[in-house]
């Protein structure tokens, strides 16, 4: 039954009136009033004594009185009456609450919540308090009793003592949350820093939370027993050996009995119980029904401990008042001044938080002065150190509080169920104290120390259990597939190197003449799956024999015999316990065996070969598209050339509409085009320029256009004058070249490997494609790789991760994966149906994924070097070969060919075309288009041109002048004869009859 008492603190104020300053304390009824008064008296004497005591100088004295609440389950109304009649009446500034177990914890909750609403600090001695892990700035509770946090700390020290690194938790729903949280906190606090990563020293491998068990006459019903047994089966699957148990003491016996039925109690197991699980134990009496060898962390809840807590509370309260008085706080502020008579002020007491902060920052040490550590929640005038010489209150253990207001250092007992030597009943057992946890003071340091005497372990063994299950031995089948499983010959001494494990491979694979009777050879295995297997063996504590599947197959079902082969057959025939390799999880395999959680995602993709190509023959045309070239080379060039000629024809300073002789101004349409092309390409050739202002301006505009065009063309041409790597850029498994391979010439050839998951998947989803590609089936990935390079096949369809690795590790970097992944799946560890190993391996793989081990292995084993090589290759200049410049040679050859065609056309023109054209060109229009054409049609023009040349190149030598005169004379005679002959010809043509055809040939050579 819960009771209460109060401490009355008497002092004299400035008006010399005696006032009571009190702290109200709730205590168990089992403690007599004399015991409580004696404890208060000792605490008051320690606080009130001393020569330089600021309480005495202020006329304040710490005294006490007692009050009881005679109700085990008080109502809120009774708690309110308690505050009105006792706390407010005595003007108490703090409340102390004492609780023993959960049956009376409701009264403690009411008292603490009421005090919190008023702003009054609470000093609590509550072993079942749930506030040890709470971080609430508004909480004004100081906890003096050991809590579940301290029991967790003791359990960790016990596991450190015996090198137990794995444990499981069994607890109840209504009280287990705090226990689970504090064990998680302990695991984090004891983690080991390794480089940049943190590795936990302790691992919680299973947590079982049981629902509340409503027993009948203290025993479980059949359904409840089955429920508890089902939950405890998790301990069997987890192969747990160290079990931490936290429950109500009346449920402990029933749960332990179920654990005995499951063989979870014995020499291989260690059960550690909390104080709540065993209840209040009287070590002076015999008798417990629990099995021998159990351990328990127990709190001392004796009357003596309660009295010590009261004495400590008085000391803390008194020392906090001294500290506040030294900091300059007025003693009148110690009174909350609450009343239930209607004249009191029920606003929250502001100075209550200051008082709480002062009490929380008090440290009491044996034979030392109390110190205040200060707090951010205290008032600014609150000093962190005492002034003057003060008394020295002694305590059995150092008193210091955490930021949450929980006492840091406590004493706990370690109990052990042992045979009762004094009992006359055979097989009687009892709890015996075999150790204790206490704070050990060494100078200024305080460390928790665990002292243990002889313990009787389960099975009456003198030595503790190992804490881990014994190693099991498994046979594991595998199949080679780089980089997941790689077979490597051992060294000369027969040993395997780093990241390698011994394994047995088939003699045919090892190409060895010597083998074991079963046809295997000792080899070394490495790869990503070996790393995963080693981690599983370490975490699950087993040994293994790794061997290659005898028939070398992955495992598919024979359509005729309906039997499986390969790895699946090894599991079905119970020759292997597990399959560890890049074993793809698919629907057909799931129907016959079990798989673990996928440890890596996979799928199906396509690998092709990169063919080193040359620059495209049309590379010089690729900077612009077809329409741009048409606009530039046909429209812009010829339109501008024609415009320049038209402007020159119309210009008075140019051809002046034909009035200016072509001899004097040599300019025509073709010469205008020649000017445009020469300006466009910046050719250093002889050109004729226009004379007109408009035509010259247009020519300058064209020069600006040519500058922009050449700059843009040159800049873009560099991007196209590079080698193009050619490959089949397939979009995926449904690319048209795979669905219709015969439409190409030659036919598109692609393949996969028979009896694989990929082969089975394609056979099911794309039967026509599978039928076509079956004639190109490959033996393995290495063979497919070579056939891709020599163009025996054009594409290879297989496991995506394997192909990504193969392409990334290719020596020439001439392989590439293309298209989207298809048939997404994953790799898993294979088991027989119903294997108990599945859950263990699942948990281990999930833990590896959580810690990032799988990601690390993936980066190490699946990364390729081809990307680095390509980056390095791009940083140096490559020499340009003939193939890289083929487009320029093609352009030159095309120009030569066109020149040959033009010379042929020129000869045809002079032999036959000129005669026809001369008949129609009466006015000399052809000369406007091309001066050369015009000259070829008019001999007179040629003569005038010769005269003009002769006139411009006069000779001053007499002999030369004589020869020139003779030539001119002969030329004049020749011109006269030509004129006469032309006249005769004209007369003859006019006088000849119609229909006649008279040909007149003038032999100029006779002239």
């Amino acid at each position: 039954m819960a009771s209460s008492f109060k401490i009355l603190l008497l002092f004299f104020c400035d008006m010399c009136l005696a006032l009571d300053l009190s702290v109200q304390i709730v205590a168990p009824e089992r403690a007599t009033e004399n015991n409580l008064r004696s404890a208060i008296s000792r605490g008051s004497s320690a606080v009130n004594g001393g020569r330089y005591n600021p309480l005495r100088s202020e006329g304040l004295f710490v005294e006490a009185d007692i009050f009881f609440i005679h109700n085990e389950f008080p109502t809120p109304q009774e708690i309110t009456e308690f505050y009105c009649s006792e706390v407010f009446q005595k003007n108490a500034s703090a409340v102390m609450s004492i609780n023993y177990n959960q049956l009376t914890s409701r009264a403690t909750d009411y008292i603490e919540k009421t005090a919190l609403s008023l702003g009054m600090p609470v000093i609590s001695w509550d072993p079942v308090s749930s506030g040890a892990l709470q971080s609430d700035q508004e909480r004004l509770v100081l906890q003096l009793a050991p809590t579940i946090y301290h029991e967790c700390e003791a359990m960790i020290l016990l596991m450190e003592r015996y090198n137990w690194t794995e444990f499981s938790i069994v607890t109840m729903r209504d009280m287990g949350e705090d226990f689970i949280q504090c064990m998680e906190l302990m695991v984090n606090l004891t983690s080991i820093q390794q480089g940049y990563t943190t590795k936990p020293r302790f691992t919680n491998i299973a947590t079982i939370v049981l629902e509340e068990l409503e027993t009948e006459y203290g025993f479980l019903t059949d359904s409840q027993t089955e429920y508890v047994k089902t939950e405890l089966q998790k301990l069997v699957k987890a192969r747990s050996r160290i079990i931490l148990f936290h429950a109500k003491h009346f449920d402990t016996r029933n749960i332990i009995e179920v654990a005995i039925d499951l063989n979870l109690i014995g020499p291989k197991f260690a059960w550690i119980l909390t104080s709540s699980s065993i209840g209040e134990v009287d070590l002076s009496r015999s008798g417990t029904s629990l099995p021998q060898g159990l351990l328990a962390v127990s709190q001392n809840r004796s009357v003596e401990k309660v009295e010590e807590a009261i004495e400590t509370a008085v000391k803390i309260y008194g020392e906090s008042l001294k500290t506040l008085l030294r900091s300059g706080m007025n003693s009148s502020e110690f009174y909350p001044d609450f009343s239930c008579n209607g004249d009191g002020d029920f606003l929250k007491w502001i100075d209550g938080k200051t008082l709480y902060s002062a009490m929380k920052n008090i440290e009491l040490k044996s034979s030392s002065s109390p110190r205040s550590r200060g707090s951010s929640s205290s008032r600014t005038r609150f000093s962190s150190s005492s002034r003057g010489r003060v008394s020295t209150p002694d305590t059995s253990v150092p008193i210091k509080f955490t930021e949450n207001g929980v006492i840091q250092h406590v004493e706990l007992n370690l109990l052990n169920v042992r045979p009762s030597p004094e009992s006359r009943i055979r097989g009687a057992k009892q709890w015996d104290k075999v150790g204790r946890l206490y704070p050990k003071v060494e100078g200024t340091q305080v460390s928790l120390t665990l002292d243990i005497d002889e313990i009787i372990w389960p099975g009456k063994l003198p030595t503790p259990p190992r804490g881990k299950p014994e190693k099991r031995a498994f046979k594991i089948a595998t199949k080679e597939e780089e980089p997941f499983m790689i077979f490597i010959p051992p060294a000369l001494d027969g040993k395997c190197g780093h990241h390698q494990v011994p394994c047995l491979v088939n003699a045919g694979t090892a190409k060895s003449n010597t083998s074991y009777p079963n046809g295997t050879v000792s080899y070394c295995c490495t790869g990503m799956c070996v790393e995963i297997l080693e981690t599983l063996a370490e975490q699950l504590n087993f040994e293994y024999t790794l061997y290659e599947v005898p028939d070398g197959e992955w495992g598919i079902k024979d359509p005729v015999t309906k039997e499986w082969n390969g790895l699946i057959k090894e599991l079905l025939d119970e020759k292997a316990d597990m399959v560890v390799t890049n074993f793809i999880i698919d629907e057909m395999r799931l129907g016959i065996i079990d798989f673990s959680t996928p440890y890596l995602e996979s799928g199906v993709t396509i690998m092709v070969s990169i063919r080193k190509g040359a620059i495209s023959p049309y590379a010089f045309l690729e900077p612009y598209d077809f329409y741009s070239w048409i606009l530039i080379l046909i429209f812009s060039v010829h339109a501008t050339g024609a415009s320049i000629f038209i402007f020159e024809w119309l210009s008075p300073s140019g051809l002046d509409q034909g009035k200016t002789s072509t001899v004097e101004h040599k300019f025509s349409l073709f010469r205008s085009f020649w000017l445009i092309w020469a300006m466009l390409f910046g050719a250093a050739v002889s050109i004729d320029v226009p004379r007109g202002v408009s035509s010259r301006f247009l020519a300058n505009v064209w020069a600006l256009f040519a500058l922009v065009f050449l700059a843009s063309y040159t800049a873009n041409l560099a991007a196209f004058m590079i080698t193009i790597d050619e490959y089949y850029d397939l979009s995926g498994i449904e690319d048209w070249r795979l669905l219709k391979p015969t439409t190409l010439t030659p036919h598109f050839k692609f393949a996969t490997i028979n009896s694989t998951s990929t082969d089975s998947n394609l056979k099911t989803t794309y039967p026509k494609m599978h039928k076509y590609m079956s004639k190109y089936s490959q033996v393995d990935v290495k063979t497919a790789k070579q056939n891709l390079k020599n163009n025996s096949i054009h594409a290879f369809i297989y496991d995506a991760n394997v192909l990504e690795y193969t392409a990334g590790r290719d020596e020439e970097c001439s392989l590439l994966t293309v298209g989207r992944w298809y048939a997404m799946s994953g790799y898993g560890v294979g088991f027989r149906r119903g294997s108990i190993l599945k859950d263990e391996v699942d948990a281990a793989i999930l833990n590896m994924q959580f810690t990032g081990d799988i990601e690390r292995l993936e980066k190490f084993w699946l990364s390729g070097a081809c990307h680095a090589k390509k980056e390095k290759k791009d940083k140096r200049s490559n020499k340009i070969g003939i193939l890289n410049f083929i487009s320029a040679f093609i352009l030159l050859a095309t120009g030569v060919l066109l020149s040959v065609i033009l010379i042929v056309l020129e000869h045809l023109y002079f032999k036959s075309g000129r005669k026809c054209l001369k008949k129609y060109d009466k006015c000399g229009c052809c000369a406007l288009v091309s001066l050369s054409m015009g000259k070829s049609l008019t001999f007179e023009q040629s003569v005038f041109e010769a005269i003009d040349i002769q006139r411009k190149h006069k000779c001053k030598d007499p002999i030369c002048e004589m020869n020139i005169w003779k030539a001119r004379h002969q030329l004049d005679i020749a011109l006269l004869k030509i004129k006469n002959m032309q006249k005769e010809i004209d007369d003859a043509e006019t006088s000849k009859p119609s229909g006649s055809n008279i040909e007149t040939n003038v032999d100029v050579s006779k002239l």
Side-chain angles (χ1 to χ4, degrees):
M1 181 177 294
S3 303
S4 69
F5 75 94
K6 59 181 168 50
I7 300 177
L8 302 180
L9 304 179
L10 305 178
F11 72 98
F12 294 96
C13 67
D14 294 339
M15 300 298 294
C16 299
L17 297 176
L19 299 178
D20 292 339
L21 177 65
S22 61
V23 177
Q24 195 68 48
I25 304 175
V26 179
E29 193 179 25
R30 77 174 75 179
T32 64
E33 186 173 347
N34 292 333
N35 295 132
L36 299 180
R37 289 191 179 279
S38 177
I40 295 171
S41 177
R42 291 193 300 270
S44 300
S45 298
V47 172
N48 295 326
R51 185 176 179 181
Y52 300 99
N53 192 336
L55 292 176
R56 293 178 61 183
S57 63
E58 293 287 336
L60 301 176
F61 299 90
V62 177
E63 293 185 357
D65 197 1
I66 299 173
F67 177 83
F68 291 95
I69 299 178
H70 301 283
N71 189 348
E72 188 170 322
F73 303 103
T75 63
Q77 183 178 359
E78 291 175 335
I79 297 299
T80 302
E81 292 176 356
F82 160 70
Y83 270 90
C84 290
S85 61
E86 296 298 326
V87 179
F88 297 163
Q89 195 72 23
K90 303 300 181 181
N91 208 5
S93 56
V95 175
M96 181 176 182
S97 173
I98 297 178
N99 178 46
Y100 264 95
N101 50 53
Q102 290 183 339
L103 294 177
T104 57
S105 61
R106 188 166 64 175
T108 303
D109 292 338
Y110 289 159
I111 292 170
E112 290 184 2
K113 290 179 180 179
T114 304
L116 176 62
S117 63
L118 297 172
M120 296 177 63
V122 176
I123 302 175
S124 174
W125 195 89
D126 186 2
V128 296
S129 172
S130 61
L133 300 177
Q134 296 179 4
S135 180
D136 187 357
Q137 298 295 331
E138 299 298 326
R139 196 167 184 267
L140 305 179
V141 179
L142 287 182
Q143 181 59 256
L144 288 176
T147 63
I148 191 64
Y149 173 84
H150 300 98
E151 296 185 32
C152 292
E153 197 173 15
M155 290 180 175
I156 288 291
L157 288 176
L158 189 61
M159 288 193 291
E160 285 182 351
R161 176 71 172 265
Y162 296 108
N163 197 26
W164 296 333
T165 58
E166 296 179 352
F167 66 90
S168 296
I169 294 176
V170 179
T171 186
M172 307 296 291
R173 177 76 62 187
D174 56 345
M175 59 186 300
E177 183 177 355
D178 287 340
F179 184 60
I180 295 173
Q181 288 182 1
C182 79
M183 286 307 303
E184 290 177 352
L185 178 61
M186 290 300 163
V187 169
N188 294 332
L189 292 177
T190 55
S191 297
I192 303 172
Q193 190 74 23
Q194 293 182 345
Y196 294 101
T197 60
T198 302
K199 183 178 181 180
R201 184 175 179 181
F202 301 97
T203 304
N204 180 10
I205 59 176
T207 299
I208 299 174
V209 181
L210 300 173
E211 300 296 337
E212 185 176 358
L213 302 174
E214 296 181 0
T215 59
E216 295 181 3
Y217 306 105
F219 296 96
L220 297 178
T221 62
D222 292 341
S223 60
Q224 289 175 332
T225 302
E226 286 301 319
Y227 163 71
V228 175
K229 185 176 293 187
T230 301
E231 292 297 315
L232 294 186
Q233 281 284 358
K234 298 177 182 178
L235 297 178
V236 179
K237 293 182 179 180
R239 306 186 76 230
S240 180
R241 294 295 182 262
I242 309 300
I243 297 97
L244 309 183
F245 186 79
H246 179 60
K248 298 174 182 177
H249 67 91
F250 45 78
D251 289 326
T252 300
R253 179 177 56 84
N254 293 324
I255 296 173
I256 292 296
E257 286 180 355
V258 176
I260 294 174
D261 294 339
L262 295 175
N263 295 322
L264 291 173
I265 305 290
K268 299 178 181 179
F269 301 89
W271 285 67
I272 308 175
L273 283 59
T274 61
S275 58
S276 298
S277 303
I278 63 175
E280 298 182 29
V281 176
D282 188 354
L283 298 178
S284 63
R285 298 180 181 179
S286 302
T288 179
S289 59
L290 297 178
Q292 182 176 290
L294 297 188
L295 296 175
V297 177
S298 174
Q299 301 176 5
N300 188 351
R301 302 180 184 179
S302 63
V303 175
E304 291 77 10
K305 273 294 178 183
V306 175
E307 294 174 5
E308 182 180 337
I310 294 173
E311 183 179 347
T312 301
V314 175
K315 293 177 183 179
I316 292 173
Y317 181 77
E319 296 300 328
S320 65
L321 295 180
K322 294 177 184 179
T323 303
L324 293 175
L325 288 173
R326 293 190 192 98
S327 67
M329 187 174 181
N330 195 321
S331 60
S332 62
E333 299 179 56
F334 295 161
Y335 300 95
D337 195 22
F338 292 124
S339 175
C340 294
N341 297 327
D343 54 353
D345 187 5
F346 278 97
L347 294 177
K348 198 168 186 177
W349 185 33
I350 299 177
D351 294 316
K353 194 168 187 179
T354 303
L355 178 60
Y356 168 76
S357 298
M359 291 192 295
K360 185 177 71 172
N361 292 299
I362 289 296
E363 296 182 12
L364 301 180
K365 297 185 179 181
S366 299
S367 301
S368 63
S369 300
R371 300 178 298 161
S372 175
R373 293 177 283 119
S375 173
S376 59
S377 62
S378 302
R379 290 188 174 186
T380 55
R381 61 183 178 179
F382 172 63
S383 176
S384 61
S385 61
S386 303
R387 292 184 297 179
R389 188 175 178 181
V390 296
S391 59
T392 306
D394 296 331
T395 57
S396 60
V397 295
I399 303 298
K400 187 178 180 180
F401 296 96
T402 65
E403 289 298 323
N404 296 339
V406 178
I407 189 170
Q408 287 191 9
H409 310 303
V410 297
E411 288 188 0
L412 295 172
N413 295 327
L414 182 63
L415 306 183
N416 181 214
V417 177
R418 306 160 67 97
S420 178
E422 299 178 358
S423 177
R424 297 179 180 179
I425 302 175
R426 185 177 180 181
K429 300 177 291 293
Q430 67 180 27
W431 285 106
D432 281 344
K433 179 179 177 181
V434 294
R436 69 188 185 105
L437 175 76
Y438 66 97
K440 186 177 182 180
V441 182
E442 296 180 351
T444 58
Q445 300 295 324
V446 180
S447 59
L448 289 178
T449 304
L450 183 62
D451 283 347
I452 299 179
D453 296 330
E454 181 181 356
I455 296 176
I456 296 180
W457 300 97
K460 299 181 181 180
L461 296 179
T463 57
R466 296 176 62 251
K468 288 185 178 181
E470 295 73 16
K471 283 193 174 182
R472 297 163 288 178
F474 299 123
K475 290 183 178 181
I476 300 176
T478 188
K479 189 181 186 309
E480 185 178 22
E481 186 86 281
E482 295 185 9
F484 299 96
M485 187 64 66
I486 307 171
F487 297 158
I488 299 175
L492 296 177
D493 58 359
K495 296 182 179 179
C496 296
H498 191 51
H499 292 290
Q500 300 175 9
V501 298
C503 60
L504 298 174
V505 302
N506 300 327
T509 304
K511 298 180 181 180
S512 174
N513 297 326
T514 60
S515 62
Y516 295 116
N518 60 357
T520 60
V521 178
S522 293
Y523 243 53
C524 297
C525 290
T526 187
M528 181 177 177
C529 287
V530 171
E531 301 265 11
I532 294 175
L533 179 58
E534 283 287 278
T535 304
L536 292 177
E538 180 182 357
Q539 293 186 5
L540 304 183
N541 194 29
F542 65 81
E543 296 175 344
Y544 59 88
T545 300
L546 184 64
Y547 70 96
E548 183 185 11
V549 58
D551 61 4
E553 299 293 338
W554 289 99
I556 61 171
K557 190 176 183 180
D558 188 280
V560 179
T561 63
K562 306 299 182 182
E563 292 184 357
W564 290 83
N565 64 359
L567 295 170
I568 296 181
K569 180 177 175 61
E570 292 295 299
L571 291 174
L572 297 180
D573 294 345
E574 298 186 0
K575 295 180 180 179
D577 299 296
M578 284 187 283
V579 170
V580 177
T581 183
N582 56 322
F583 206 25
I584 296 178
I585 304 172
D586 61 29
E587 187 176 356
M588 292 186 63
R589 292 172 179 173
L590 279 172
I592 195 69
I593 62 173
D594 285 341
F595 279 94
S596 69
T597 298
Y599 59 82
L600 189 65
E601 188 181 47
S602 183
V604 176
T605 192
I606 308 169
M607 185 168 68
V608 297
S609 176
I610 300 175
R611 303 184 300 277
K612 300 294 181 181
I615 296 177
S616 171
Y618 310 104
F620 67 95
L621 296 176
E622 291 181 0
Y624 296 105
D625 59 9
F626 174 77
Y627 300 103
S628 298
W629 283 119
I630 293 297
L631 181 64
I632 294 171
L633 299 183
I634 296 181
F635 178 77
S636 299
V637 170
H638 297 89
T640 305
S643 299
I644 290 176
F645 174 74
I646 292 173
F647 290 155
E648 186 69 9
W649 168 262
L650 298 175
S651 175
S653 57
L655 294 178
D656 195 15
Q657 302 182 21
K659 296 178 182 178
T660 302
S661 173
T662 56
V663 177
E664 180 181 355
H665 180 27
K666 298 178 181 180
F667 199 80
S668 63
L669 179 62
F670 278 14
R671 295 201 175 197
S672 177
F673 289 152
W674 180 255
L675 171 66
I676 292 298
W677 283 104
M679 293 174 64
L680 181 62
F681 295 111
V685 295
S686 177
I687 57 175
D688 295 312
V689 297
R691 296 178 180 178
V693 176
S694 58
S695 55
R696 284 173 177 261
F697 175 76
L698 183 57
N700 288 330
V701 173
W702 174 257
L704 180 61
F705 171 81
L707 177 65
V708 175
F709 167 76
L710 282 180
S712 174
Y713 178 77
T714 305
N716 287 277
L717 183 63
F720 295 95
M721 296 295 288
I722 57 176
T723 302
I724 299 176
D725 290 338
E726 299 177 350
Y727 60 89
Y728 294 105
D729 189 13
L730 305 177
S731 61
I733 197 67
E734 294 187 349
D735 189 272
W736 66 273
R737 283 163 286 194
L738 300 180
L739 297 177
K740 299 178 180 180
T742 57
T743 58
L744 297 176
T745 305
H747 294 173
F748 193 74
K749 296 176 287 186
F750 54 96
T752 188
I753 301 176
N754 278 331
S755 302
T756 60
S757 177
T758 303
D759 180 70
S760 177
N761 185 282
L762 291 174
K763 185 177 182 179
T764 304
T765 54
Y766 298 96
K768 293 180 64 177
M769 180 192 298
H770 180 268
K771 183 178 180 181
Y772 169 82
M773 65 189 292
S774 59
K775 56 186 174 182
Y776 304 113
S777 294
Q778 303 296 299
V779 178
D780 51 32
V781 176
K782 292 182 180 179
T783 305
K785 173 181 173 181
Q786 295 302 322
N787 289 335
L788 278 175
K789 291 186 175 182
N790 59 32
N791 211 30
S792 297
I793 58 174
H794 301 130
F796 179 59
I797 306 173
Y798 197 57
D799 186 348
N801 288 315
V802 176
L803 296 188
E804 291 284 356
Y805 167 82
T806 304
R809 296 292 180 95
D810 184 52
E811 298 83 358
E812 302 171 355
C813 292
S814 59
L815 299 175
L816 183 69
T817 57
V818 295
R820 298 181 299 273
W821 286 20
Y822 158 75
M824 298 300 297
S825 182
Y827 303 139
V829 180
F831 307 96
R832 292 192 297 271
R833 281 285 190 180
S835 174
I836 61 174
L837 298 174
K838 182 181 182 306
D839 293 340
E840 297 181 48
V841 174
D842 284 347
I845 289 177
L846 291 174
N847 182 62
M848 293 175 66
Q849 291 174 339
F850 177 77
T851 57
D853 289 341
I854 295 293
E855 183 179 0
R856 176 183 58 82
L857 293 175
E858 182 180 357
K859 290 180 179 179
F860 178 80
W861 285 103
L862 300 184
S863 61
C866 280
H867 299 296
K869 288 184 178 180
K870 289 180 180 179
E871 291 178 1
K872 185 176 181 181
K873 183 178 179 182
D874 293 341
K875 293 180 181 178
R876 66 172 187 266
S877 300
N878 296 323
K879 295 181 179 179
I880 299 178
I882 294 178
L883 292 178
N884 295 338
F885 207 61
I886 191 67
S887 61
F889 288 104
I890 292 176
L891 179 61
L892 181 60
T894 303
V896 173
L897 181 61
L898 290 176
S899 299
V900 172
I901 295 174
L902 289 176
I903 193 64
V904 172
L905 293 176
E906 187 177 0
H907 280 279
L908 292 175
Y909 165 75
F910 275 99
K911 285 187 176 181
S912 58
R914 184 172 61 171
K915 294 179 182 180
C916 298
L917 189 60
K918 184 177 179 181
K919 295 179 182 179
Y920 300 102
D921 187 25
K922 301 297 184 178
C923 58
C925 292
C926 289
L928 296 177
V929 177
S930 174
L931 291 178
S932 300
M933 185 183 295
K935 290 179 181 179
S936 65
L937 297 177
T938 307
F939 180 77
E940 182 179 2
Q941 183 68 23
S942 300
V943 174
F944 287 147
E945 188 174 296
I947 294 174
D948 184 66
I949 294 174
Q950 188 65 29
R951 185 183 300 119
K952 292 181 178 179
H953 298 80
K954 293 183 178 180
C955 185
K956 297 182 180 179
D957 186 16
I959 299 176
C960 180
E961 289 181 357
M962 179 61 71
N963 293 332
I964 293 175
W965 180 83
K966 290 180 179 181
R968 288 178 179 175
H969 180 69
Q970 292 175 358
L971 182 61
D972 291 339
I973 295 174
L975 291 174
L976 182 61
K977 290 182 178 181
I978 291 173
K979 186 175 182 181
N980 293 332
M981 293 175 68
Q982 185 68 38
K983 184 177 180 183
E984 291 176 1
I985 292 171
D986 293 338
D987 293 341
E989 289 180 353
T990 54
S991 61
K992 69 179 179 179
S994 61
S996 62
N997 185 12
I998 302 175
E999 292 185 359
T1000 304
N1001 294 325
V1002 180
D1003 190 357
V1004 181
S1005 61
K1006 293 182 179 180
L1007 297 179

